[in-house]
Amino acid sequence: MSTPSGFDELIHPSTRLSVVALLAATEWADFPFIRDSLSLSDSALSKQLHTLEEAGYLEIQKEGGGRKRRTKVRLTARGRTAFEGHVAALRAIVEGAGPAPVQPAPQQHAEAGR
């Protein structure tokens, strides 16, 4: 089976997929909300956000300074398109992996005269 169109290797790892799925449901999300919702450490989340930002899938804004610094994240149009394409590709994979049609068992004929 070939990989369906839209499958995105960058989004596919479970942590990144969870981040993108969470962001797809909102306009902006604060770093602590994402971290707590996905039960990630600050460093693990930062690494995933950086990877997605480098790909152009996220926009990250830092507001304020010092202890009041706030980090907000959102999907870019490119990120939303990639996520939607990836979800469609996953659906195609799942639908294509349905149970195989049941083949009828060959009929056995009783031998005459026994």
Side-chain angles (χ1 to χ4, degrees):
M1 176 177 172
S2 64
T3 303
S5 173
F7 188 89
D8 192 311
E9 294 284 349
L10 185 74
I11 292 175
H12 191 67
S14 63
T15 301
R16 280 187 230 138
L17 183 57
S18 297
V19 169
V20 174
L22 181 68
L23 293 173
T26 186
E27 181 65 28
W28 286 94
D30 289 331
F31 185 95
F33 173 78
I34 301 166
R35 178 197 62 213
D36 297 344
S37 295
L38 302 178
S39 299
L40 295 172
S41 66
D42 286 355
S43 62
L45 179 56
S46 291
K47 180 180 177 184
Q48 300 307 324
L49 293 180
H50 179 73
T51 298
L52 291 164
E53 183 185 32
E54 280 188 331
Y57 289 1
L58 299 182
E59 178 182 347
I60 299 174
Q61 286 186 353
K62 297 185 185 266
E63 300 172 344
R67 296 184 58 76
K68 300 232 180 200
R69 189 165 192 144
R70 184 173 163 196
T71 301
K72 295 177 14 174
V73 184
R74 76 171 176 171
L75 279 180
T76 61
R78 180 179 181 177
R80 191 167 300 278
T81 299
F83 174 67
E84 290 168 358
H86 189 67
V87 169
L90 291 175
R91 284 191 178 121
I93 291 169
V94 170
E95 289 168 5
V102 176
Q103 299 293 325
Q107 292 183 343
Q108 296 181 350
H109 299 285
E111 290 184 28
R114 282 197 179 188

